[in-house]
Amino acid sequence: MSTPARAGNVPQHPVRLGVVGCDRHARDLAAQHPWEYPFVGRHAVITACAPLASANRELEALARRTGARLMGSWRELLAASDVDAVLLLVPPPRRPELVRAAIEAGCAVLCPAPLAPDAHQLRALAQAIADAQAVVVTAGVLAHTPAGRNALEVLASGTVGRIESAFAAVRWHAHDAHAGSAHAGLPDAAWDVLDFVLEALDAPVSRVYAHAARLFESGNPHDTVVSIMRFASGTVFSFEAAACLPPVLTIPDAGEIELELIGAHEALRIEPFQTAVSVALTSAQEGVPLTSTPAGVALTSAQEGVPLTSAPAGVALTSAQEGVPLTSAQEGVPLTSAPAGVALTSAQEGVPLTSAPAGVALTSAQEGVPLTSAQEGVPLTSAPGEVPMPGAQARIERRDWIDPPIAGMLGALLAAMHEPSRAHDGIARQQRLCALADAMRASIDSAQPVEVIAA
Amino acid sequence: MPPVRIGLIGCGGIAKAAHLPAFDALHALVRLVAVADTDADAAEALARPRGIPAYRDHERLLAHEDLDAVVIASPEYAHREQVEAAAARGLHVLCEKPIALTLEDADAMIAACDHAGVRLMVGHSRRFTNRYLRAREAIDAGELGAVRLIRENERRPRYEDRPGQYYQRGHWTADPLRSRGIVLTAAIHETDLFRWFAGSDPISVYAEHHSTMAGNESVPDFISFTIRFANGCIASSELSRVLPPCYPGFHQLEIYGSEGAFRARDTELSSLTHYRRAGASHPGHYGILLQRAEIYVRQLAVFIDALATGAALPVTAADARAALALALAADRSARTGRAVTLTGDAPA
């Protein structure tokens, strides 16, 4: 392709998307099953995938499942004739180079925030984008989840009132060697959250304080950043990003995010991973009681080694292993769960087992009828929160976005390709984001707050 | 052993919700003899059902009653005068947190009690709360390894339909002459806990605060602060008690160590949700979760046990002063827009 893709220059067929990725980013995309979205099939198809550096299995799997060709390199992908736009799933330091190459190849670009690792590089890149009148959409991931989009719509409606304070925490695996190594010690998710907050607050940052340290065994110079920012609107934003999660609380490559926006009249809380988090407790030793923490009730299943998990708020009880039904100790008596608590049928027909929402003791409704697990002799009990769990093992089974953002991100790309006014959506905010990153670095170095001018 | 004879100074919310139930629970060990409050109605309301005298000020209570100790549940601006008066009469003191409005006042109170040979304990009640006790036990047992990162966010809704709402116009917390705002009414808990958990001296603090409550322009009711400790630990907190009415009372404790983590999030422990026209709320949420009555029973039990046995107090006056020094440093940071370096307990 030799003519740069410009806004309004839209192909008549579904947009042919090339994906350039590396391990973790490609896996994130693969986990969102984009090929299962009717929207994607109608408006965009993945035609080519290329690894950033060396071949990786995640990208190969993505190519197989989408029917896309697997290219040997990103340069080969950009030279292909059937690629209208590229989705860059690469670390921030590599993004400017790839954006420039994509523009040169005439491809539209969809890239998560940040577009560049610092304000200096971003300024030069923004100029190149403007000169080429290219379509470069920096789509915030969180902003394109239904939760994020809804939150932005609620804020725009004005019902929340003036935002008085905001709080965000991004936490990830303490031994994740990849997270945080790419960009100022923070994982991409942290920059995405910052990008979202800048969009949500829609005001310049006036003062930034940050300190950073290596507190955990992450291998990164800075695996913890704590920052407090004041916006020109008066909002105080508290931000924390840390590689602090012990293995028991997460799995490699998957962290957690919490974000709160407190208005004068209403408040919003976003936890994009929360209901997908399951803590499975299995008794490690026969005869050792199975206890649960407040975050869910875990039971051993009828099939040994397959944990039963329950989401925190009484969400449906499902087997962690697909296709393995949950059954009670008595054959044929199904285990079922209802919202607002976990209700289970007991081993004795007609005797309901009930559990209060807050992880309170699981007791039989009929006195004297014990609750038993499928494994004989291992009592099934649940204790109030904060009770130690001797002999039990707790682990995260899986963690996904509740609302995968990929469809929204692609929608932003298509909108930008159709509407010249939206061709550079997010570039201005990227400049503010990079200025913020620079201010955080300056504050970390000086151990004092930094006044931000025209950020 | 006869019950410890106690006079209660201050008959406001914390006295009714926390201290009275503790007196009742420990009735075999303590006897509430009389109460005092500048609000005569408040004092009378507490005294009448118990058939005990109510006084309009602490001086009259101290002059007329035969006491072993006082429990001071008044606002911090009144603490110095009341503690000094009690110490002068040879009475032991259990005083609500914070110890005082200023370090100068705190030093004077400590000196007065030392001089009189009486015990002074400040009610840093979190140290008697299940979750914090467990956290400290886990730290002491080495289960977390070295404590690296701590966060405790404390957020509570405002109750627009209740009298006595903090930071409402006319309430003492909204009066800058008597209140320094949330840094002392609430964040003093965190400055104490952070020292307790970190096991190290703070070396710097940075804070931002502002006033969010309608009609309150002069006293900060929101604060966010972060502290560095000498051992490298970082501890941070964000606090407000005047959030939108439907916001659930929400305490969030997170302690991350080199070997493990300790977390307690109230959002995962909601025991009651009330849906109404205005939205969802969690009435009594934090009160249930912090097990208020139990906390203050423990606190009072420890205090009277120390009086009887001479045992060391789990919260010393020096602890209370150090928590105050750290809170005041956070306040100074917020007011100046600069990070404050600390040497020992005092801002450098």
Side-chain angles (χ1 to χ4, degrees):
Chain A
M1 206 168 282
S2 56
T3 308
R6 298 186 178 197
N9 183 12
V10 187
Q12 297 305 305
H13 47 76
V15 169
R16 296 167 301 183
L17 199 64
V19 179
V20 181
C22 55
D23 290 344
R24 61 189 297 118
H25 299 81
R27 180 167 51 243
D28 286 349
L29 177 69
Q32 294 174 35
H33 302 275
W35 53 89
E36 292 171 6
Y37 285 80
F39 165 88
V40 176
R42 281 201 307 276
H43 299 284
V45 290
I46 299 175
T47 54
C49 297
L52 179 62
S54 55
N56 69 70
R57 282 181 302 174
E58 299 293 346
L59 210 61
E60 287 167 12
L62 180 64
R64 266 199 312 276
R65 296 191 67 165
T66 56
R69 283 172 297 130
L70 187 67
M71 316 293 270
S73 73
W74 60 267
R75 287 189 175 83
E76 193 183 328
L77 182 145
L78 289 177
S81 59
D82 62 347
V83 174
D84 304 313
V86 288
L87 171 59
L88 299 181
L89 301 172
V90 302
R94 299 299 304 274
R95 290 175 187 169
E97 173 194 11
L98 284 163
V99 170
R100 287 173 193 277
I103 292 172
E104 190 67 27
C107 292
V109 177
L110 175 61
C111 180
L115 195 53
D118 57 51
H120 175 72
Q121 290 191 61
L122 184 73
R123 269 193 296 274
L125 185 59
Q127 189 58 53
I129 293 167
D131 290 346
Q133 296 182 315
V135 176
V136 177
V137 175
T138 312
V141 177
L142 189 55
H144 285 292
T145 63
R149 197 167 56 247
N150 286 343
L152 293 171
E153 286 171 5
V154 170
L155 289 172
S157 76
T159 59
V160 173
R162 195 176 83 109
I163 301 297
E164 305 287 5
S165 65
F167 168 74
V170 180
R171 305 184 182 93
W172 65 99
H173 197 290
H175 301 288
D176 187 346
H178 302 295
S181 59
H183 187 59
L186 294 179
D188 291 356
W191 292 107
D192 191 67
V193 167
L194 290 172
D195 183 56
F196 182 87
V197 169
L198 289 178
E199 182 172 4
L201 298 184
D202 193 25
V205 178
S206 57
R207 187 163 61 208
V208 176
Y209 175 80
H211 46 210
R214 182 183 174 190
L215 298 183
F216 302 92
E217 301 305 316
S218 61
N220 298 321
H222 289 162
D223 58 23
T224 302
V225 174
V226 177
S227 180
I228 302 175
M229 308 169 201
R230 181 176 284 276
F231 283 69
S233 57
T235 305
V236 174
F237 172 43
S238 308
F239 175 72
E240 185 168 294
C244 59
L245 296 180
V248 74
L249 281 173
T250 189
I251 55 177
D253 295 348
E256 59 182 28
I257 293 173
E258 56 175 319
L259 172 62
E260 286 209 330
L261 300 161
I262 308 291
H265 310 304
E266 297 175 359
L268 295 166
R269 180 176 177 87
I270 301 174
E271 291 180 83
F273 300 117
Q274 186 191 39
T275 61
V277 173
S278 51
V279 178
L281 307 177
T282 54
S283 176
Q285 190 180 321
E286 197 171 317
V288 174
L290 189 71
T291 61
S292 107
T293 55
V297 179
L299 312 171
T300 54
S301 77
Q303 185 171 325
E304 199 175 332
V306 178
L308 307 186
T309 61
S310 145
V315 174
L317 197 67
T318 57
S319 167
Q321 186 174 317
E322 204 174 322
V324 177
L326 306 189
T327 55
S328 77
Q330 184 173 324
E331 200 175 332
V333 178
L335 278 179
T336 58
S337 102
V342 181
L344 310 173
T345 54
S346 77
Q348 184 171 323
E349 200 173 336
V351 179
L353 308 187
T354 59
S355 142
V360 175
L362 197 68
T363 56
S364 167
Q366 185 173 317
E367 202 173 327
V369 176
L371 304 186
T372 55
S373 76
Q375 188 174 328
E376 199 177 331
V378 179
L380 190 70
T381 59
S382 157
E386 303 177 15
V387 172
M389 298 175 291
Q393 296 172 332
R395 61 196 172 95
I396 297 292
E397 289 296 322
R398 53 189 279 269
R399 173 171 280 144
D400 291 325
W401 290 95
I402 296 169
D403 309 315
I406 188 66
M409 293 170 69
L410 287 171
L413 173 70
L414 296 176
M417 293 176 77
H418 281 85
E419 298 176 39
S421 65
R422 301 185 61 180
H424 302 150
D425 265 12
I427 298 288
R429 200 171 61 251
Q430 290 305 298
Q431 290 173 323
R432 284 200 280 149
L433 183 63
C434 287
L436 176 60
D438 288 352
M440 288 172 74
R441 280 187 278 262
S443 177
I444 289 167
D445 290 343
S446 67
Q448 283 295 341
V450 170
E451 304 294 329
V452 182
I453 300 166
Chain B
M1 195 179 81
V4 177
R5 296 168 57 84
I6 288 183
L8 174 65
I9 299 172
C11 299
I14 195 69
K16 284 184 283 191
H19 293 291
L20 284 185
F23 296 144
D24 292 340
L26 297 177
H27 60 88
L29 302 170
V30 299
R31 200 170 111 207
L32 181 61
V33 173
V35 302
D37 198 300
T38 52
D39 180 341
D41 292 340
E44 197 58 41
L46 258 64
R48 193 179 305 115
R50 292 162 186 272
I52 57 176
Y55 296 92
R56 288 193 174 192
D57 62 62
H58 65 276
E59 284 293 359
R60 289 181 202 181
L61 180 146
L62 297 175
H64 289 93
E65 298 296 337
D66 179 20
L67 303 171
D68 301 309
V70 290
V71 170
I72 295 178
S74 58
E76 50 264 31
Y77 64 83
H79 286 177
R80 177 176 176 173
E81 181 185 355
Q82 293 166 349
V83 169
E84 287 180 337
R89 292 179 180 274
L91 302 179
H92 304 290
V93 179
L94 172 57
C95 179
E96 262 299 330
K97 55 81 202 166
I99 185 172
L101 264 180
T102 66
L103 288 176
E104 180 189 2
D105 285 353
D107 288 338
M109 293 157 64
I110 294 169
C113 290
D114 285 347
H115 181 72
V118 299
R119 313 293 293 270
L120 170 61
M121 179 168 141
V122 177
H124 281 283
S125 54
R126 300 285 166 83
R127 294 204 190 199
F128 304 97
T129 307
N130 264 345
R131 69 175 59 173
Y132 303 104
L133 284 168
R134 292 245 174 89
R136 177 58 193 247
E137 285 169 7
I139 293 168
D140 288 346
E143 293 170 13
L144 306 187
V147 175
R148 306 285 199 205
L149 183 69
I150 310 172
R151 175 164 287 279
E152 160 124 322
N153 287 346
E154 183 178 332
R155 307 189 188 106
R156 301 183 191 178
R158 60 180 179 265
Y159 297 96
E160 291 173 335
D161 52 349
R162 290 187 199 173
Q165 168 67 58
Y166 274 24
Y167 309 110
Q168 256 174 352
R169 200 188 303 275
H171 194 272
W172 67 267
T173 52
D175 176 0
L177 296 177
R178 297 188 291 173
S179 168
R180 295 193 80 84
I182 193 165
V183 72
L184 292 193
T185 54
I188 191 77
H189 281 304
E190 278 67 28
T191 58
D192 179 55
L193 286 175
F194 289 165
R195 288 185 65 255
W196 199 40
F197 292 148
S200 177
D201 288 328
I203 56 173
S204 74
V205 58
Y206 180 78
E208 293 274 4
H209 66 194
H210 65 153
S211 305
T212 66
M213 183 85 167
N216 167 38
E217 288 85 29
S218 49
V219 176
D221 56 39
F222 167 90
I223 190 165
S224 176
F225 65 96
T226 183
I227 301 165
R228 290 196 87 133
F229 286 86
N231 63 0
C233 176
I234 295 174
S236 311
S237 183
E238 189 203 70
L239 299 98
S240 172
R241 292 184 173 182
V242 290
L243 294 178
C246 287
Y247 195 93
F250 175 35
H251 287 209
Q252 173 179 10
L253 171 67
E254 318 227 340
I255 305 174
Y256 298 98
S258 58
E259 306 297 329
F262 190 101
R263 309 208 301 194
R265 294 179 175 181
D266 290 354
T267 47
E268 294 169 355
L269 294 166
S270 178
S271 56
L272 174 63
T273 304
H274 179 192
Y275 298 95
R276 50 185 174 159
R277 186 185 298 274
S281 62
H282 303 273
H285 187 66
Y286 65 83
I288 294 168
L289 292 165
L290 291 180
Q291 300 167 309
R292 177 175 283 180
E294 200 177 313
I295 297 165
Y296 286 82
V297 171
R298 283 198 194 104
Q299 178 177 279
L300 182 62
V302 164
F303 176 66
I304 59 176
D305 182 65
L307 300 188
T309 66
L313 292 166
V315 188
T316 66
D319 288 331
R321 187 194 185 280
L324 177 65
L326 189 49
L328 291 176
D331 187 56
R332 183 171 145 195
S333 171
R335 290 176 195 273
T336 61
R338 302 286 293 168
V340 172
T341 303
L342 298 136
T343 47
D345 281 342

